[in-house]
Amino acid sequence: MLIVPALLLVVPASGITEISCDILVCGGSTASLAAAITAAENAPDTTVCFADPTDWPGGQMTASAVSAIDFGALNRDSQFQPKTFQDLVAYLHSLGPSACWVSTTCYEPQQMINGWVNPKLASLTNLCY
């Protein structure tokens, strides 16, 4: 893993805040969310900063009216999934059967954000978001 020290300047309404990071992940996509979580889980002695330009982390996975994750044949088998993805899939299955026609796994984005994404980000003590 390549670790490059970075500096993140956060500009909340109250003024500029400087946060020192070992790893900086920028972007508003599902991939950037996955990268930030993966970095924080696999490098617990580093500080990971996740800079998402939106207030709903996860990109397309959490931005639609009703979202769906498309699984290929191999991706449905948990042995081919990283641990975090296994946890995500288990959470989605805990919501009950999916009633959409576009995927076997559909959900309302707010459920995903409140029930899995935000708790996951909050549980990673070395991740700044």
Side-chain angles (χ1 to χ4, degrees):
M1 173 185 287
L2 175 64
I3 298 177
V4 179
L7 182 65
L8 176 64
L9 294 176
V10 180
V11 186
S14 60
I16 296 175
T17 301
E18 184 178 305
I19 301 171
S20 179
C21 308
D22 297 308
I23 300 171
L24 175 60
V25 179
C26 298
S29 67
T30 302
S32 65
L33 174 65
I37 290 172
T38 300
E41 287 180 335
N42 289 294
D45 296 331
T46 65
T47 300
V48 178
C49 294
F50 177 37
D52 189 318
T54 70
D55 60 354
W56 68 91
Q60 187 174 357
M61 182 175 75
T62 57
S64 303
V66 175
S67 291
I69 295 179
D70 295 323
F71 296 100
L74 289 178
N75 293 334
R76 292 180 197 275
D77 188 335
S78 64
Q79 72 175 340
F80 298 112
Q81 300 170 355
K83 172 72 171 95
T84 295
F85 196 71
Q86 291 173 14
D87 294 344
L88 170 65
V89 171
Y91 170 74
L92 291 174
H93 289 165
S94 76
L95 298 176
S98 178
C100 71
W101 61 273
V102 296
S103 176
T104 58
T105 307
C106 296
Y107 54 90
E108 292 188 31
Q110 205 59 44
Q111 287 177 305
M112 173 73 81
I113 291 171
N114 294 333
W116 192 85
V117 173
N118 285 341
K120 184 65 174 178
L121 294 175
S123 74
L124 298 165
T125 58
N126 63 325
L127 189 138
C128 300
Y129 169 68

